[in-house]
Amino acid sequence: MTNYLRSTPAELSPGLAIESPLEPDWLLSLATVPLITTLLAGRLLADWAQQVGWASEEIFRGERLPVLPIALLSEPLPEDES
């Protein structure tokens, strides 16, 4: 009887096994560093974009924009003469 928990992929299906020069543990270790670096870079990019957004809000504050004439809500709206 075959113990599937302790068998290697080559033992379970000899025709489909792919031999790798590195162990799976090493491949996982090598893939971890770029993944963590990508996650940290994404977080830094998101923080930078948020800071740029806040800076642009400061630039376009109301004190630098002209005052727009807005009708008060208590005034009646003009009737459409069509």
Side-chain angles (χ1 to χ4, degrees):
M1 179 175 211
T2 304
N3 187 352
Y4 291 107
L5 296 177
R6 298 195 185 271
S7 299
T8 63
E11 293 172 352
L12 293 176
S13 56
L16 299 176
I18 298 173
E19 292 297 323
S20 173
L22 295 174
E23 292 290 325
D25 294 340
W26 281 99
L27 292 174
L28 180 63
S29 298
L30 292 174
T32 302
V33 174
L35 178 68
I36 291 175
T37 304
T38 302
L39 290 174
L40 289 175
R43 180 173 225 171
L44 289 174
L45 183 63
D47 290 343
W48 176 79
Q50 189 174 24
Q51 292 293 330
V52 169
W54 285 338
S56 68
E57 283 183 26
E58 292 298 320
I59 290 173
F60 295 112
R61 275 192 172 219
E63 63 194 49
R64 297 184 184 189
L65 295 174
V67 177
L68 299 175
I70 298 175
L72 297 175
L73 294 177
S74 61
E75 296 178 9
L77 296 173
E79 295 293 326
D80 190 15
E81 297 182 17
S82 56

